[in-house]
Amino acid sequence: MYFCVNKYLMTRSEENYIKTIFHLGRKGTQEVATNAIAELMETKPSSVTDMIKRLSEKDLVNYKRYQGVSLTALGNKTALGIIRKHRLWEVFLVEKLDFSWDEVHEVAEQLEHIKSDKLIDSLDRLLAFPKFDPHGDPIPDKNGGFKERDRELLSEVAINTGGVCVGVKDSSATFLKFLDKNGIALGNQIKVMEIEEFDGSLNIEIDGRKMQISHVIASNLYIKAKDEI
Amino acid sequence: MYFCVNKYLMTRSEENYIKTIFHLGRKGTQEVATNAIAELMETKPSSVTDMIKRLSEKDLVNYKRYQGVSLTALGNKTALGIIRKHRLWEVFLVEKLDFSWDEVHEVAEQLEHIKSDKLIDSLDRLLAFPKFDPHGDPIPDKNGGFKERDRELLSEVAINTGGVCVGVKDSSATFLKFLDKNGIALGNQIKVMEIEEFDGSLNIEIDGRKMQISHVIASNLYIKAKDEI
DNA sequence: ACAAATTTTTAGATTTGCCTAAAATTTAAT
DNA sequence: ATTAAATTTTAGGCAAATCTAAAAATTTGT
Ligand SMILES: [Mn+2]
Ligand SMILES: [Mn+2]
Ligand SMILES: [Mn+2]
Ligand SMILES: [Mn+2]
């Protein structure tokens, strides 16, 4: 089958481009700009154009000069396969090898390119088929299906409401370490008590403990909506 | 330190060459022929010469035109690091992901190039610091040290002697599957009962069960010598 | 609408890793 | 000791993936 042929012939670089286009294009449906890809991948726009042409040859992306790029159905499936591997490896590193959530991404960037269906399916089983990675992001199943969890940014909820912290928007090591230092983790119960007029900072109650966080922090924390508390 | 700088800048291809030179040169001490490398790596001698020059620039091998190649101390340490990773991953695949011993090599060939000290040390701990891989080959420790087990080929032992099967010389999938089919595994107690004059085939007793194996088979099975039984 | 700014693509070069074909060197044979 | 055979290296080329600089297309601002 075409998908299988392609899947095992892709280079690491091609896979990274496909993944980036997926992330920038909200599941690959939207058109993505050359410059946006270049910026995120820390490469030059001319390099991106080169690669886009190659990916287009392989029917992984739709491309018309100057009109941006989007994933084909094949490209989308490929992206989901890589993301599945990335997130499963992140779970493995945290659950089995005692990595902290700010250490896993770099290694997962390497591990996501290992090619073996049996490996990834066995890993999935070893981890008891996790649905979310250490940052709260959903893990696609074998067929690329996954349910985006119903969540909203803490910065968007009304006073006196809250919910369980289920994810981070920014998953950079610096932000994650900041959260660790301040005792904020996934699973914590968070309630917004007050919002400062002046700078938008929030007084919250997190697992019973009161603290103040900036608007920037709040706009990078996802909570599972649970209406009035 | 020079070693560390180098270690993380090596390409996959460079690592594969270093590993091959190690295997062909008995711990890298002996000189290895260009053609031997080319044959084992299924590449052309001219490509090998190219790469040898690059490795020589990086002080990983000693090289004089037409005189063969050998590993430097740095090259040797690098090779041991890669072999450590390869064998630890093989153990992981068998112990944690229920791979059989004939399925692990191909995937380990990919996994051995993942760069993360923390990853490999954690994996070592998860597996309880194994000393041998699924094929009975020794796993170098963090510092590259490992003890070659005292063993001999089954084809070399005298009649009425034997020992525990501790390794295979040929670890190709076909040989390993053959052993599976015939119920021969590491840990089995093997005793040589009789050797046929005609074709050198052996009548053995393996864990109490009698069977006959060809000379070729016997010359690919290692047993731990335990003298007279 | 048209010039200016921005984005995107092309052209040409570089590095890695591989190839084929031909030349150089070493080894083996008579 | 020559010649023949095998091994190894050089020379020249190619594809992937990147870069810089310049040209082309699109978007924006007045
Ligand atoms: Mn990640
Ligand atoms: Mn993640
Ligand atoms: Mn192996
Ligand atoms: Mn092995």
Side-chain angles (χ1 to χ4, degrees), chain A residues 86-87 90 104-105 133-135 137 171:
Chain A
H86 182 102
R87 293 181 180 165
E90 285 190 345
V104 297
H105 184 75
D133 84 359
H135 313 105
D137 295 314
S171 56

Side-chain angles (χ1 to χ4, degrees), chain A residues 19-32 69:
Chain A
K19 200 179 43 153
T20 301
I21 294 167
F22 179 93
H23 285 310
L24 286 172
R26 306 180 147 270
K27 298 180 64 182
T29 48
Q30 249 176 270
E31 310 269 280
V32 176
V69 69

Side-chain angles (χ1 to χ4, degrees), chain B residues 90 133 135 137:
Chain B
E90 286 190 345
D133 84 359
H135 313 104
D137 295 314

Side-chain angles (χ1 to χ4, degrees), chain A residues 49-114:
Chain A
T49 302
D50 269 8
M51 179 58 87
I52 284 173
K53 285 180 189 163
R54 274 194 292 273
L55 295 175
S56 181
E57 284 297 308
K58 297 189 179 188
D59 267 313
L60 291 158
V61 301
N62 306 116
Y63 172 60
K64 260 179 280 176
R65 282 160 70 247
Y66 292 102
Q67 300 313 128
V69 69
S70 65
L71 294 180
T72 62
L74 177 59
N76 211 268
K77 201 167 180 180
T78 304
L80 285 165
I82 301 163
I83 289 165
R84 168 172 161 80
K85 289 192 281 182
H86 182 102
R87 293 181 180 165
L88 278 174
W89 279 115
E90 285 190 345
V91 174
F92 169 75
L93 294 172
V94 166
E95 296 293 314
K96 301 294 178 183
L97 298 190
D98 299 315
F99 276 57
S100 52
W101 67 344
D102 59 284
E103 296 173 314
V104 297
H105 184 75
E106 193 195 357
V107 183
E109 285 289 306
Q110 298 180 60
L111 288 164
E112 72 188 2
H113 302 291
I114 302 291

Side-chain angles (χ1 to χ4, degrees), chain B residues 86-87 90 104-105 133-137 171:
Chain B
H86 182 102
R87 294 181 179 165
E90 286 190 345
V104 297
H105 184 75
D133 84 359
H135 313 104
D137 295 314
S171 57

Side-chain angles (χ1 to χ4, degrees), chain B residues 11 13 43-44 46-47 50 54 66:
Chain B
T11 67
S13 191
T43 182
K44 302 295 167 182
S46 54
S47 306
D50 269 7
R54 275 195 291 274
Y66 293 101

